[in-house]
Amino acid sequence: MTALDWVLVVAIVVLAAFVAAGLFLGARALQKFQANRSADEQSREQTLHAAKAKVDDANAKAASVRAEAAAAKAEATAARAEAKRVLESAHEEADTVLEHAHRQAEADAEQVRSAARRSGEREVALLNTTVKEQSAEVERRAARIDERERLHAEEVERLVIRERRLATLDADLTARESGLTTREAELVEAEERRRRELERIASLTAEQARAELIESIESQAKREAAILVRDIEGEAKNTADTRARHIVVDAIQRIASEQTAESVVSVLHLPSDEMKGRIIGREGRNIRAFESVTGVNLIIDDTPEAVLLSCFDPVRREVGRLTLEKLVLDGRIHPHRIEEVYESAKSEVDRLCERAAEEALVDVGITDLHPELVTLLGRLRYRTSYGQNVLKHLVETAHIAGIMAAELGLDVPTMKRSAFLHDIGKALTHEVEGSHALIGADLARKYGESEDVVHAIEAHHNEVQPQTVEAVLTQAADACSGGRPGARRESLEAYVKRLERIEEIAGGKPGVEKVFAMQAGREIRVMVRPDDVDDIGAAVLARDVAKQIEEELTYPGQIRVTVVRESRVTELAR
């Protein structure tokens, strides 16, 4: 039902309400009139005129209501006609829209069919291409399978031929084995006949003859051994002390070694004082980056055209010196360039260590050493023991031990090898816990050294009781090399050990990446991984390191602990 129909219905309802109201009022007036007439007959005539007047008014009102109802009915008829006209217009417009929608749907359907047809053609072409490729692949696989079958057939044929040969050889071996069994039985029988004949001639069994012969030889050997021991003991008592002193003095005199020079700084000469400012960099960023990367303290003072590099670790100091030297020659000094040159200098120092190890091996005369042991020996080029260079100490000890072995008539190559490798464990004392003697023995045993050499290494500090002459002579040669005048100085070793312990304390904490003891041990810089240690953790780490250093070490003055937490983000622009 449309809105116009609703309007007509409402108008009719309103008119009906008016008519009902008029009828209701008229009915009430009539009822009142009838009641009054039965109650008061006398006043009816008086009020008749008034009642007629009211009836006339009511009739007039009813007429007006009927007129209004007729007007409303006419309006309703007109409204229905208008609604019918609007409805017909709406039907016509709907037919037009429907027809347009049909045409649009047909056009869209035609476009969809065209797109589907084109997509289907593309799919068919793609499927045809795929089918062709798969067919080609199947043909290739069939060819490979045919080739494999042919090779397999050839291999089967070769195996059949080989099996025939093996069967022939098996038959030959069986025949030979039967012949050997027969001959062995004949030999056993002949040996038994010979033994019975010997027992018949000697009137003794084989066991009795063997026992008498062994007893005779044993008694004679004991007598000769006792005489030989007595003579050796007498000769040893007469010549042992004199000969031992002669051997030791002669070995020491024939080894000309340099005096120990104690130094923990390196000097690098600069082309001009202007270079100092470039080394320091803007607001000191270059010198901070250099010290952070290399772990070497750079001292720039009033010394003209020179800077000092200070570090207790000689390897680290040498790497820092080469890094700074290359930076000065190149002229480009900035944090990223410092890292690149540091890696290059580190590789160069590794090559120098390897060359030093090879030169030491040539000097001693050892050619068949394991490459891993050669690498570890190269590390000792910059390692010192009480101020004495460890690699030179090994060469010197090997020469002394070789001379002693030659004088005593022992195996000189084994003796030199034992003495040369006795301190090899010092190359790993920073990485492996334990005595360097036991560490070195484990290394030697791991890389195929003989048990005599291994025992000499582990026993040269009496941590294992020496059981061989090589072990005793290794101890003596080590003592001769370390005890000669000017060989060692205790102060440098104690200083280095204290700095090493400082780095070990900080390096053992979780999240620590690198540790550098700087400023002659008055400062320690701890580089931590930013993902593992936050800012609060860095403060806690600095306090824990400082507290542990206070509890474990004795040192003059104070030590500053600096924890560096640096975050870097790198991205490539392509």
Side-chain angles (χ1 to χ4, degrees):
M1 184 179 291
T2 61
L4 184 59
D5 294 335
W6 283 106
V7 170
L8 293 175
V9 171
V10 171
I12 292 171
V13 171
V14 171
L15 291 175
F18 276 115
V19 172
L23 294 175
F24 177 74
L25 293 175
R28 289 186 63 182
L30 289 175
Q31 289 176 0
K32 186 176 180 179
F33 176 74
Q34 290 176 0
N36 291 329
R37 191 177 68 176
S38 59
D40 192 9
E41 289 291 339
Q42 294 178 359
S43 60
R44 184 170 43 177
E45 292 179 356
Q46 297 177 358
T47 58
L48 181 60
H49 183 69
K52 287 180 178 181
K54 290 182 180 180
V55 170
D56 292 336
D57 292 336
N59 290 331
K61 290 182 180 179
S64 64
V65 169
R66 283 195 293 273
E68 291 177 358
K73 187 175 181 180
E75 290 179 359
T77 303
R80 277 196 293 271
E82 181 67 21
K84 185 176 181 181
R85 185 184 62 78
V86 172
L87 184 61
E88 291 176 354
S89 176
H91 280 300
E92 292 176 357
E93 185 177 357
D95 293 337
T96 304
V97 171
L98 185 60
E99 184 179 0
H100 179 70
H102 280 300
R103 289 197 298 271
Q104 183 68 27
E106 290 177 356
D108 293 342
E110 182 64 26
Q111 291 179 358
V112 171
R113 282 195 294 271
S114 300
R117 188 181 301 109
R118 289 194 296 271
S119 177
E121 291 175 355
R122 287 196 298 271
E123 291 291 336
V124 170
L126 181 60
L127 288 175
N128 291 333
T129 304
T130 305
V131 168
K132 291 180 180 178
E133 292 178 354
Q134 291 179 353
S135 300
E137 180 66 21
V138 169
E139 292 177 358
R140 288 195 296 271
R141 289 184 179 178
R144 287 198 296 268
I145 291 173
D146 294 340
E147 180 67 18
R148 288 181 181 176
E149 289 179 353
R150 184 181 64 79
L151 295 175
H152 181 67
E154 294 177 355
E155 184 68 21
V156 169
E157 185 177 355
R158 287 196 298 270
L159 290 176
V160 170
I161 296 173
R162 185 176 179 184
E163 185 176 359
R164 292 174 183 172
R165 292 177 182 175
L166 290 176
T168 305
L169 292 175
D170 192 11
D172 294 341
L173 289 175
T174 303
R176 289 184 182 182
E177 185 178 0
S178 62
L180 289 175
T181 303
T182 304
R183 188 172 180 182
E184 184 179 357
E186 294 175 353
L187 289 174
V188 171
E189 185 178 357
E191 180 67 22
E192 183 65 21
R193 288 197 301 270
R194 187 179 65 83
R195 186 182 63 78
R196 286 196 300 269
E197 184 65 20
L198 288 175
E199 289 178 355
R200 184 185 62 80
I201 294 172
S203 299
L204 293 174
T205 63
E207 296 296 332
Q208 292 173 348
R210 185 182 297 108
E212 288 185 3
L213 181 61
I214 292 174
E215 184 178 358
S216 175
I217 295 175
E218 184 179 358
S219 61
Q220 184 178 359
K222 286 182 179 179
R223 183 174 181 279
E224 292 179 356
I227 294 173
L228 183 60
V229 168
R230 185 190 61 189
D231 294 341
I232 292 174
E233 288 180 351
E235 184 180 359
K237 289 179 182 178
N238 295 328
T239 62
D241 294 339
T242 304
R243 187 169 177 79
R245 291 191 184 95
H246 174 73
I247 291 172
V248 172
V249 172
D250 181 61
I252 295 176
Q253 287 178 347
R254 289 169 63 179
I255 301 298
S257 299
E258 60 186 13
Q259 299 286 326
T260 298
E262 182 174 330
S263 176
V264 292
V265 296
S266 297
V267 180
L268 180 66
H269 296 282
L270 304 177
S272 64
D273 285 338
E274 180 185 0
M275 186 61 66
K276 292 183 178 181
R278 299 177 64 181
I279 293 174
I280 295 173
R282 181 179 300 175
E283 297 179 356
R285 66 170 187 171
N286 290 344
I287 190 172
R288 287 197 302 271
F290 179 85
E291 293 179 348
S292 174
V293 171
T294 62
V296 177
N297 189 26
L298 193 59
I299 302 174
I300 301 178
D301 53 15
D302 296 335
T303 306
E305 298 181 357
V307 294
L308 296 179
L309 295 95
S310 175
C311 181
F312 77 96
D313 188 340
V315 178
R316 195 189 301 166
R317 187 172 69 248
E318 180 65 15
V319 173
R321 189 190 67 79
L322 287 177
T323 302
L324 187 59
E325 183 178 0
K326 290 184 177 182
L327 289 171
V328 171
L329 291 176
D330 184 41
R332 294 177 297 166
I333 304 178
H334 52 81
H336 183 66
R337 180 63 178 165
I338 290 172
E339 293 181 0
E340 293 179 352
V341 176
Y342 169 74
E343 295 297 333
S344 174
K346 190 176 180 181
S347 301
E348 184 174 349
V349 170
D350 291 339
R351 290 194 299 271
L352 292 175
C353 291
E354 184 176 356
R355 188 183 308 166
E358 294 174 353
E359 292 176 355
L361 289 172
V362 172
D363 191 6
V364 176
I366 299 176
T367 58
D368 57 343
L369 198 64
H370 194 281
E372 291 296 331
L373 293 180
V374 175
T375 302
L376 293 175
L377 283 171
R379 296 184 184 180
L380 299 177
R381 168 183 175 153
Y382 298 104
R383 176 69 191 268
T384 59
S385 177
Y386 297 97
Q388 185 181 26
N389 184 275
V390 176
L391 187 56
K392 294 181 179 179
H393 165 65
L394 294 181
V395 174
E396 182 179 340
T397 304
H399 286 310
I400 294 175
I403 295 171
M404 290 182 178
E407 291 291 337
L408 297 175
L410 301 175
D411 186 6
V412 175
T414 302
M415 194 64 252
K416 279 189 172 183
R417 200 179 191 91
S418 302
F420 185 68
L421 296 176
H422 78 278
D423 275 346
I424 186 68
K426 289 186 177 180
L428 292 179
T429 51
H430 295 297
E431 304 172 9
V432 181
E433 295 184 358
S435 168
H436 72 273
L438 300 179
I439 296 173
D442 292 339
L443 286 173
R445 186 178 293 108
K446 176 181 178 182
Y447 295 114
E449 296 295 328
S450 64
E451 283 301 322
D452 291 338
V453 175
V454 172
H455 177 66
I457 294 174
E458 67 184 0
H460 78 274
H461 279 322
N462 287 322
E463 291 168 328
V464 175
Q465 192 66 28
Q467 302 292 335
T468 62
V469 179
E470 288 80 3
V472 176
L473 284 185
T474 300
Q475 285 184 339
D478 183 26
C480 292
S481 175
R484 65 177 177 82
R488 296 184 175 184
R489 296 182 64 177
E490 179 69 26
S491 59
L492 177 61
E493 183 69 15
Y495 166 75
V496 171
K497 284 185 178 297
R498 185 175 72 248
L499 297 189
E500 289 176 353
R501 180 54 186 160
I502 290 175
E503 289 191 350
E504 289 176 1
I505 290 174
K509 302 297 182 182
V512 175
E513 184 177 12
K514 292 189 294 186
V515 181
F516 298 133
M518 311 180 74
Q519 296 287 348
R522 291 190 295 271
E523 179 181 359
I524 176 172
R525 294 187 182 177
V526 184
M527 282 65 172
V528 299
R529 291 184 291 272
D531 296 334
D532 298 338
V533 180
D534 55 10
D535 293 337
I536 298 176
V540 175
L541 177 62
R543 186 176 65 251
D544 293 343
V545 172
K547 185 176 180 181
Q548 188 172 354
I549 291 174
E550 291 175 357
E551 293 174 353
E552 294 185 13
L553 300 179
T554 302
Y555 49 89
Q558 59 185 9
I559 298 176
R560 181 172 59 184
V561 179
T562 303
V563 177
V564 180
R565 180 176 179 267
E566 180 183 17
S567 298
R568 294 189 182 186
V569 178
T570 303
E571 187 59 43
L572 297 178
R574 297 183 177 87

